[in-house]
Amino acid sequence: MRTLILGGIRSGKSAHAEHLLADAPAVRYVATGSADGDRAWRARIDAHRERRGDRYRTVESCDLASLLRDFPDEPTLVDDLGNWLTALLDEAGAWEDEAADVSAQIEDLCAAIAGYSGDLVLVSPEVGLSLVSPTPSGRRFADELGRLNAAVAAVCETVTLVVAGRALDLPAGTGAVPAAPVPVSASTAPSSPVPAEEPARPADAPAPRRATVSEPAQIDGTDAEIFPIVELPDHDVAEQARARQLRLTKPARSLGRLEELGVWMSSCQGVCPPRTLQSPAVVVFAGDHAVAADGVSAYPPEVTAQMVANIATGGAAINVLARRAGATVQVLDMAVRADTDPHVSRYKVRAGSGDLRTGSSLTIAEARRAVAAGRAVADQLVDAGADLLIAGDMGIGNTTPAAVLVGTLTDREPVVVVGRGTGIDDATWIRKTAAIRDGMRHARRHRNEPLALLAAVAGADIAAMAGFLAQAAVRKTPALLDGLITTSAALVAQQLAPGAASWWQAGHRSTEPAHAFALDSLGLTAILDLSMRLGEGTGAVSALPLVASSIDILTDMATFDEAGVSGGE
């Protein structure tokens, strides 16, 4: 949900914005105006802070684009754009210089808004409904505000006008947004044009939450399974990193696996010492599977859509762990049987994947679209600055297709690869084993045809993960693998893009027996073994701080010469 709320002073627009986020367990409140001012102004701010309560975490900043990109899935309320624009015009000296142009900053903000995956509500004063002095500077502000509101509206799914506490959703516009400001003769700068906060809406007049509209992404699946040659991480830089490890103030190899991870990160980045991670990103690929309807899981299939909504609003385990690790999270509905938020489902291939027991999870065309979607998401994140990628999963019953893939590609029998998944009992285990057996009958004929294999037994969520992980390697971006589902997709990704596994590390080892077979086949050793089996990307994100620490060791630790410590021979 990306919503722009427009209104005049004391119209109730802030209260309406807060109402739209009433269901979020926690909200980031971005205040663009200073809390400094006269006594009455401070009293108003204190009253509104008290009204919002402990769910709100206040951030005071005018660097909106960076804030939105840093945590693009966190429910966020920005209040308001009028103060942000005033600060922008101040910084540009636009009150005295009529040639000053803030178009680039407005375009950057709109790009950050368009890429936001969580619930985002922005409050802005509507032109003509706010107090603006009738001076050259006031006219400049009004012109720029109109252009800003139109540009933001163009990238929001809903635009609402609030008057006297009543909300009216506006129809989609068709006019073009001016590309440049209207020149005016500037003199004196106006004071802050709009108070940042509004009085509460009356209890008997709640504003309804309305459905948002998002256009599905246009994905061309043509030749999606054909990847360019994967270039391996830089061997020479890896040797430089190993040599540096020997010069650091510690016995050789005394930090064990941390040293290996630091060398790997150096080779992936092509520089020693490696750069500190700035933008690790998690993408959770969600989908339902027909086999789940026959009782192969401890949970009913409808839980998938419920958990997708939970992840989208920041309430799942992956969100909690990612916040601690400094990673962003987005969830994508690739094949959830129920309707989900339009932004979450923009890459959706179908409503539920088919029955793997009959070898008909997807058509070849659907498999191509899913792989292409995963590739497109990886490209978008890398282009936006992501420096480490993690794929997560969400789907009741998805350990069954994952076990089919692992059993097929590692030549194991169904009874060996079947696991307890979400905690199934013996009767469910028997049904699951039978389903894996039936799926492997169809999968084995395609073990050397990765796209056909994905179509037969994988489902759109796992196919998208395979495309995502393979494309990460093509783009020379390191990735951490999570548990069984992600690693089953990695087995196929290694077939699609040979050499891709050199760009991956295994974040953890799941309790699912098939996971160990998959890791052995890929030649990967898990960083953590904490008896985890949740999925979502949680195991990989749990390992992320250790990867970051391995970089810090190479970057920040002193050498024997630098520290004046002897015994480094």
Side-chain angles (χ1 to χ4, degrees), residues 487-513:
T487 310
S488 72
L491 285 173
V492 183
Q494 172 69 5
Q495 284 191 324
L496 290 167
S502 61
W503 292 90
W504 309 330
Q505 290 287 339
H508 81 122
R509 177 172 174 166
S510 167
T511 59
E512 289 287 311

Side-chain angles (χ1 to χ4, degrees), residues 214-272:
S214 182
E215 290 294 326
Q218 299 300 314
I219 294 295
D220 182 5
T222 303
D223 294 334
E225 74 277 20
I226 300 175
F227 286 79
I229 294 175
V230 173
E231 296 184 29
L232 300 181
D234 195 314
H235 173 76
D236 292 339
V237 172
E239 290 302 314
Q240 295 173 23
R242 291 189 184 96
R244 181 173 174 80
Q245 292 280 12
L246 296 175
R247 297 196 301 272
L248 299 178
T249 50
K250 60 179 176 57
R253 292 170 289 281
S254 58
L255 287 177
R257 186 69 187 281
L258 280 178
E259 296 188 22
E260 297 173 12
L261 291 173
V263 170
W264 175 69
M265 284 302 303
S266 279
S267 66
C268 288
Q269 294 182 3
V271 62
C272 178

Side-chain angles (χ1 to χ4, degrees), residues 240-241 244 266 269-276 551 553-556:
Q240 295 173 23
R244 181 173 174 80
S266 279
Q269 294 182 3
V271 62
C272 178
R275 296 179 295 273
T276 301
I551 294 174
I553 288 166
L554 271 175
T555 303
D556 298 338

Side-chain angles (χ1 to χ4, degrees), residues 16 221 399:
H16 179 70
T399 55

Side-chain angles (χ1 to χ4, degrees), residues 61-409:
S61 175
C62 284
D63 189 5
L64 296 186
S66 294
L67 283 175
L68 297 181
R69 289 191 175 101
D70 288 345
F71 298 96
D73 64 324
E74 185 177 4
T76 297
L77 194 163
V78 176
D79 197 353
D80 68 33
L81 295 180
N83 286 318
W84 175 80
L85 178 61
T86 299
L88 188 64
L89 295 172
D90 279 338
E91 184 178 1
W95 310 119
E96 292 78 29
D97 181 9
E98 64 185 55
D101 187 4
V102 294
S103 297
Q105 294 91 325
I106 292 175
E107 291 172 3
D108 186 46
L109 174 62
C110 290
I113 294 170
Y116 205 80
S117 57
D119 284 346
L120 174 63
V121 180
L122 305 109
V123 177
S124 185
E126 173 56 15
V127 179
L129 298 181
S130 57
L131 292 177
V132 178
S133 302
T135 63
S137 293
R139 289 190 291 272
R140 174 69 187 265
F141 176 83
D143 289 338
E144 295 286 0
L145 179 62
R147 190 164 64 94
L148 170 64
N149 285 346
V152 172
V155 294
C156 284
E157 295 155 329
T158 303
V159 180
T160 301
L161 177 65
V162 179
V163 179
R166 305 295 181 92
L168 174 67
D169 281 357
L170 302 179
T174 58
V177 179
V182 179
V184 295
S185 175
S187 58
T188 58
S191 59
S192 181
V194 181
E197 305 187 1
E198 312 286 341
R201 170 183 296 277
D204 59 349
R209 294 190 70 175
R210 295 173 171 85
T212 59
V213 178
S214 182
E215 290 294 326
Q218 299 300 314
I219 294 295
D220 182 5
T222 303
D223 294 334
E225 74 277 20
I226 300 175
F227 286 79
I229 294 175
V230 173
E231 296 184 29
L232 300 181
D234 195 314
H235 173 76
D236 292 339
V237 172
E239 290 302 314
Q240 295 173 23
R242 291 189 184 96
R244 181 173 174 80
Q245 292 280 12
L246 296 175
R247 297 196 301 272
L248 299 178
T249 50
K250 60 179 176 57
R253 292 170 289 281
S254 58
L255 287 177
R257 186 69 187 281
L258 280 178
E259 296 188 22
E260 297 173 12
L261 291 173
V263 170
W264 175 69
M265 284 302 303
S266 279
S267 66
C268 288
Q269 294 182 3
V271 62
C272 178
R275 296 179 295 273
T276 301
L277 291 175
Q278 298 294 327
S279 300
V282 182
V283 181
V284 180
F285 296 89
D288 280 313
H289 299 263
V291 69
D294 286 346
V296 297
S297 173
Y299 289 86
E302 55 265 26
V303 170
T304 301
Q306 295 165 0
M307 281 303 301
V308 166
N310 188 28
I311 295 170
T313 55
I318 184 60
N319 304 101
V320 174
L321 294 173
R323 282 194 287 270
R324 171 59 62 185
T328 62
V329 178
Q330 63 173 305
V331 59
L332 294 176
D333 167 8
M334 299 305 303
V336 178
R337 193 168 297 278
D339 290 336
T340 58
D341 181 274
H343 186 69
V344 171
S345 61
R346 63 192 184 277
Y347 293 106
K348 189 166 189 167
V349 171
R350 57 185 285 173
S353 294
D355 196 339
L356 61 84
R357 292 169 296 184
T358 60
S360 55
S361 288
L362 302 169
T363 67
I364 289 292
E366 288 169 340
R368 281 197 172 104
R369 284 175 53 203
V371 171
R375 296 183 67 171
V377 173
D379 281 338
Q380 290 167 9
L381 289 171
V382 174
D383 289 343
D387 46 14
L388 185 143
L389 299 181
I390 294 172
D393 67 277
M394 172 48 59
I396 299 303
N398 62 8
T399 55
T400 301
V404 171
L405 289 173
V406 173
T408 300
L409 294 175

